[in-house]
Every structure is written in structure tokens, then in C-alpha cells.
Amino acid sequence: ALPISEPQPSVQRWRGSSFRMAAQMKILYYCGVLFDVTQKIPVVSRLADLATTFLASSLRGFSGSFVASGLSKCERPKKMLKLYEFEGCPFCRKVRETLSVLDLDVEVYPCPRETLKAYGVCEKSRFRPEVKKHGGQQMFPFLVDENTGTKINDSAAINEYLWKTYGASATPPRSYTFGKKTEKTPFFFLPSLLRPSTTHGMLRVPSKAPKEMLELWGCEASPFVKLVREALCVLELPYVLRNVAHGSEAKRLEFREKYGSKLSAVRRLAGGEVIQMPFLRDPNTGAELLESAEIVRYLYSTYQDGPISDETFLDYSTAGASAAHGTINNLNPKDAKSE
């Protein structure tokens, strides 16, 4: 037995874990404070947004920017898939990358956290209760495929299912393969940590519910599209995500037929599959917007219906978390599967 004055191993581990978590939360907090300062300076705010979203995508090798080859030989879903997720979760990003690479459109039901003080809180959320009704746990991402009756919580299991069902004969692009190699390293979490504000897809912002789903054209790796997804997420606005990564020929041509007149003269003259993203269509107001900054302003001015939470990462707690959660004080992607 160890001397009574010396902490037991379990106590030492707990103290070490608590110390690391407190240090990590302080780093995130001060990064968030610094980022908020940049947002008060017009030109600097835009540069900070683009620099951090670009770096976040580059750390994943721009995974999701190209579609897999051989998709013409693969099964395509008749009914659109449904994904319950939130932008600030790195595990949800894994699934969005796969959907982009497999050229699959999806109905997205944003499920941002209600609080940083506990996991699994489901009191005011617009779509988290639906996950419970489907029999899922309060862990994300959660996929529903009505074509096969499949409902899955685990990000790794979801990706395996998507490739087996809709990409069995396809070959993933190198960018996607590179991104997968980072999943067993701490670098897996860095893209999410680069966006340190709670409005970057983490905490819900009170909003008015739209009658119809919005529609977003883009791809996972685009820094500009990410800015729009963050706003859609925290405002809990459901939308149809039309994935148009490089190589998505049919849908890019569809985009040009429907919205080509909105493209710049240079893009129109370029012809072929050249498009611009993000593109947001809101059937509730008739709005059709192309520029990310304009889209984000539009979403907040049209749908925000309450103050942004004043919680910070100093309020973060692992209360309510299970062993399968990817908590910040246990950043081990080998064990964690969901947020």
C-alpha cells in the first residue's frame, strides 16, 4: 500500500486531468476573448474569420473538397438522408466530409449544445428531442436513413455505413485519405479549436423557427461555406445541404442552370462546372444570396430571437458525459466516437 500521505493513483490521475482541463479551458477562453476583439474591427474581423476557417480546412487536407471516383457505379438514395449534428463537433465534421466526398445531399437538423456546463442537456433544443424519439442517445452525429431504416449514433459507424451503402465501388480522393490519417492524433481536434467562440457552431442562439427548410449549396472543405454553416447551426435552422464538391458534375451543372445568372461575369464566362459557394436559398422569404458575410448577416437579422449566451469555456464541465463522449479533458480520438 502507498503511504497515506501520498495520493492514490486514481486521485493523481483525477488531479492531473482536472489541471489539464482547467489549463485548456483558460487557453480556449483567452483565444475566444482575442477573437471577439478582432470582430470589433471591420477589416480585421473578416480576415480573422477567413484565416481561421482556411487553416481549419487545411489541417484536414481540405477533405471534402473532391468527390470520390466511381460513384456512377454506386447506389444512390431515393429519399434524402437526415443528419442531426452541430458544427463545433469534430466527430460531426467526419461525417459531413464523407457525405461531401460521396456526393450525397442531406437534410441537416442542427443540434448545438444548450450549455457548456453539462453534457446531454435537452430542454430548449429544437431538434435534440427528435433524436430521443428516434431512439438515439444525446451524442452527435446521429444519422437517419429512411431508405434502409437505419439509425446510427457513432461517427465511425456512420462513415462505415455510408461507404458500404453508397460508396462500395468508389475510390476516395487523396484529400479524404489524408484527413482520415489525422483522426488518431491530437491534430484531429485542432480545426474545431481554431474557432473558439461559442457562436462558431457550439451553443444555441434563440431563434424563430422557419416554416420551410433553407437550402445551402457548398462543400465541406470551403472556408466560406463553414462560416454559413456555423450561423445555421447556432440558430438551429434546418436546411438541405446540396453538396457540390469538385467533380460533382451533374449538380454543378444543375446549379448553373438554376442560378447561373447570379454568378459573376468571370464565372459565367468560365463555363463548364464553375460555380460559386456558398449559395443560400430561403423559401420562407425568397432570399437568394451568394456572399458568406452577407448570408451570415441575413440569417441573424432574420431569425435571431434572443441574446447570445454569455457562457464561456471557463464554464465548461464534463458533468453528464459518458465514456464515449469526446470531452475536452480526454482528447483521445481512439476512444471517443461522438460529441
Side-chain angles (χ1 to χ4, degrees):
L2 294 172
I4 196 168
S5 60
E6 183 176 344
Q8 297 294 320
S10 60
V11 175
Q12 289 177 317
R13 286 194 298 270
W14 181 84
R15 287 179 179 174
S17 175
S18 298
F19 176 80
R20 287 195 302 274
M21 184 174 74
Q24 290 161 349
M25 291 305 99
K26 285 184 179 179
I27 291 173
L28 279 173
Y29 169 73
Y30 287 117
C31 284
V33 170
L34 180 61
F35 197 94
D36 289 341
V37 170
T38 69
Q39 298 304 288
K40 297 177 181 179
I41 309 173
V43 176
V44 176
S45 64
R46 184 61 174 170
L47 291 175
D49 272 333
L50 295 180
T52 52
T53 52
F54 180 86
L55 185 55
S57 292
S58 65
L59 286 172
R60 294 288 293 167
F62 294 98
S63 180
S65 57
F66 293 89
V67 301
S69 59
L71 289 177
S72 60
K73 304 175 184 177
C74 299
E75 186 74 22
R76 299 285 88 182
K78 293 181 179 179
K79 292 183 179 180
M80 200 171 291
L81 306 180
K82 297 180 179 181
L83 181 65
Y84 295 81
E85 57 95 52
F86 65 100
E87 185 69 23
C89 167
F91 303 97
C92 296
R93 183 185 64 237
K94 285 171 54 178
V95 174
R96 293 195 308 268
E97 287 174 352
T98 300
L99 290 165
S100 187
V101 167
L102 292 176
D103 203 24
L104 296 170
D105 294 342
V106 61
E107 291 181 4
V108 178
Y109 296 91
C111 298
R113 295 182 59 158
E114 293 187 31
T115 177
L116 292 173
K117 299 177 181 179
Y119 278 73
V121 177
C122 183
E123 297 174 356
K124 300 178 181 178
S125 174
R126 185 167 292 154
F127 297 115
R128 287 192 173 217
E130 289 189 14
V131 175
K132 284 187 175 181
K133 291 180 182 178
H134 282 298
Q137 304 177 58
Q138 286 299 298
M139 295 191 299
F140 299 90
F142 179 70
L143 180 79
V144 176
D145 186 351
E146 296 178 346
N147 300 281
T148 62
T150 301
K151 300 176 182 179
I152 321 176
N153 252 124
D154 182 302
S155 60
I158 291 173
N159 278 350
E160 182 181 355
Y161 167 79
L162 290 172
W163 278 103
K164 181 179 179 180
T165 308
Y166 301 113
S169 300
T171 302
R174 291 181 180 178
S175 55
Y176 181 81
T177 303
F178 175 86
K180 283 186 66 65
K181 290 181 179 179
T182 70
E183 291 175 9
K184 295 183 179 180
T185 73
F187 289 102
F188 171 67
F189 295 92
L190 283 180
S192 296
L193 301 181
L194 282 169
R195 301 290 289 165
S197 173
T198 59
T199 57
H200 294 160
M202 183 61 71
L203 286 183
R204 70 182 292 273
V205 174
S207 67
K208 295 172 282 188
K211 293 182 179 179
E212 296 183 55
M213 299 186 79
L214 284 67
E215 183 178 67
L216 176 66
W217 293 69
C219 74
E220 176 60 27
S222 167
F224 302 97
V225 177
K226 178 173 176 58
L227 293 171
V228 176
R229 287 198 313 265
E230 288 176 348
L232 287 166
C233 177
V234 296
L235 291 169
E236 297 181 294
L237 302 176
Y239 61 99
V240 173
L241 176 59
R242 302 296 307 276
N243 277 310
V244 282
H246 293 287
S248 179
E249 298 177 3
K251 282 188 284 184
R252 282 180 167 239
L253 290 175
E254 178 188 349
F255 180 93
R256 287 185 67 91
E257 289 176 6
K258 289 182 175 180
Y259 311 114
S261 61
K262 296 184 178 296
L263 296 175
S264 65
V266 174
R267 285 188 171 89
R268 287 200 302 270
L269 289 173
E273 302 167 24
V274 177
I275 63 171
Q276 182 177 343
M277 62 178 81
F279 175 76
L280 180 83
R281 186 180 70 85
D282 187 348
N284 302 283
T285 63
E288 294 182 345
L289 306 169
L290 270 173
E291 297 293 337
S292 59
E294 184 182 1
I295 294 173
V296 171
R297 286 194 296 270
Y298 164 80
L299 291 173
Y300 274 94
S301 63
T302 305
Y303 291 104
Q304 184 178 355
D305 193 30
I308 294 173
S309 173
D310 60 0
E311 283 189 26
T312 72
F313 280 101
L314 294 180
D315 297 306
Y316 177 82
S317 168
T318 58
S322 70
H325 279 98
T327 59
I328 293 180
N329 69 323
N330 180 31
L331 299 183
N332 188 351
K334 294 181 181 178
D335 300 328
K337 300 175 182 179
S338 305
E339 177 65 75

